[in-house]
Amino acid sequence: MVGAHESSRKLRLLCMSHAVPIVFVVDDDVSVRESLELLIRCEGWEPQTFASAPEFLAHPRALVPNCLVLDISLPGLNGLDLQKQIAVERSEMPIIFITGYGDVPKTVQAMKAGAVEFLTKPFSDDVLLSAIRQAVERSETTFDQAAEMRTLRDRYAALSGRERDVMALVVAGLLNKQVGSDLGISEITVKAHRGRMMQKMKADSLADLVNMAARLGIERAPKAQ
């Protein structure tokens, strides 16, 4: 069962790595949406366009690398308000703002809130494509990191309770003899648990295991005196 689960997980990650990134566009100007849709598609990405913020928010969350090209001046819920909502609900999504008006305060606000770029119309295709490329790369990195963390959590979940105990003491710097004393088991038994734990975690060294524990947020057990 574990092997089947691991194979299925690897297949999902492989499919995700080959998925076409999605570039969302939210702009109330139909001519802008149509021109950007063509430009994005020609570059090899998948465009998905929306005329308003509510229409975009009603769309399911993307499960592949993506970014958002967002008009700052939208009717109703404007671009900056949508950015705030995205920061809560879809924090991994990079945003590129576009506007027909040069507004320094709004630019500063958008950039401080994490926007990748703020472009004033008219802008060249190359400038926009460069910004989208940067945003997609950022999204791909985020998705890769999330996939790595899922893998790490899956490995840790596969450990037995005793193997987790041994891992916590080992990353704290205890020797096998000290771990055995702390847990009330023999040094030979500690070595067996430690070997299986290292194998399940796919840790090549103690330093590798310590790094994994830090990423998982596992608190180090106190050192034996």
Side-chain angles (χ1 to χ4, degrees):
M1 290 296 292
V2 174
H5 172 74
E6 180 70 10
S7 296
S8 177
R9 184 191 61 77
K10 286 182 178 178
L11 181 59
R12 290 197 304 272
L13 292 178
L14 180 62
C15 290
M16 184 178 293
S17 67
H18 288 82
V20 176
I22 298 173
V23 180
F24 297 101
V25 176
V26 181
D27 196 304
D28 61 333
D29 187 330
V30 63
S31 63
V32 172
R33 293 199 305 274
E34 290 177 348
S35 63
L36 291 185
E37 180 177 7
L38 179 60
L39 179 66
I40 291 164
R41 195 178 300 282
C42 287
E43 195 65 19
W45 299 308
E46 178 187 341
Q48 293 191 14
T49 65
F50 306 88
S52 68
E55 186 181 340
F56 167 75
L57 290 172
H59 190 275
R61 187 172 186 165
L63 300 179
V64 298
N66 62 89
C67 71
L68 171 62
V69 178
L70 176 60
D71 185 10
I72 201 166
S73 301
L74 295 170
L77 191 69
N78 66 35
L80 291 175
D81 290 334
L82 178 57
Q83 182 186 30
K84 292 176 184 176
Q85 197 157 335
I86 289 173
V88 175
E89 300 175 2
R90 313 183 192 196
S91 59
E92 77 287 349
M93 176 179 282
I95 298 175
I96 300 163
F97 274 106
I98 57 176
T99 179
Y101 310 96
D103 189 322
V104 175
K106 286 183 179 179
T107 302
V108 172
Q109 183 179 344
M111 299 303 286
K112 280 187 175 180
V116 174
E117 188 59 90
F118 195 106
L119 305 178
T120 302
K121 302 173 187 175
F123 44 78
S124 71
D125 291 350
D126 288 342
V127 168
L128 177 60
L129 290 174
S130 177
I132 292 176
R133 198 168 294 112
Q134 178 186 348
V136 167
E137 288 174 358
R138 179 185 295 188
S139 181
E140 287 173 340
T141 298
T142 300
F143 269 79
D144 288 345
Q145 291 172 343
E148 289 174 4
M149 280 304 301
R150 284 193 297 271
T151 299
L152 203 53
R153 292 192 186 102
D154 287 346
R155 291 175 187 172
Y156 185 69
L159 299 181
S160 68
R162 181 59 82 191
E163 287 164 352
R164 293 184 190 185
D165 292 338
V166 169
M167 178 175 172
L169 294 170
V170 166
V171 298
L174 273 66
L175 301 175
N176 289 340
K177 183 176 181 179
Q178 294 171 309
V179 173
S181 175
D182 192 277
L183 298 178
I185 57 179
S186 69
E187 187 174 350
I188 292 177
T189 302
V190 171
K191 288 181 180 178
H193 285 308
R194 180 169 180 165
R196 285 194 295 270
M197 177 268 294
M198 294 288 285
Q199 185 177 31
K200 289 181 181 179
M201 293 301 296
K202 299 189 185 302
D204 296 325
S205 64
L206 176 58
D208 195 16
L209 186 69
V210 169
N211 180 55
M212 291 179 179
R215 293 180 66 189
L216 287 166
I218 298 172
E219 293 186 3
R220 293 188 175 192
K223 271 195 175 186
Q225 298 298 317

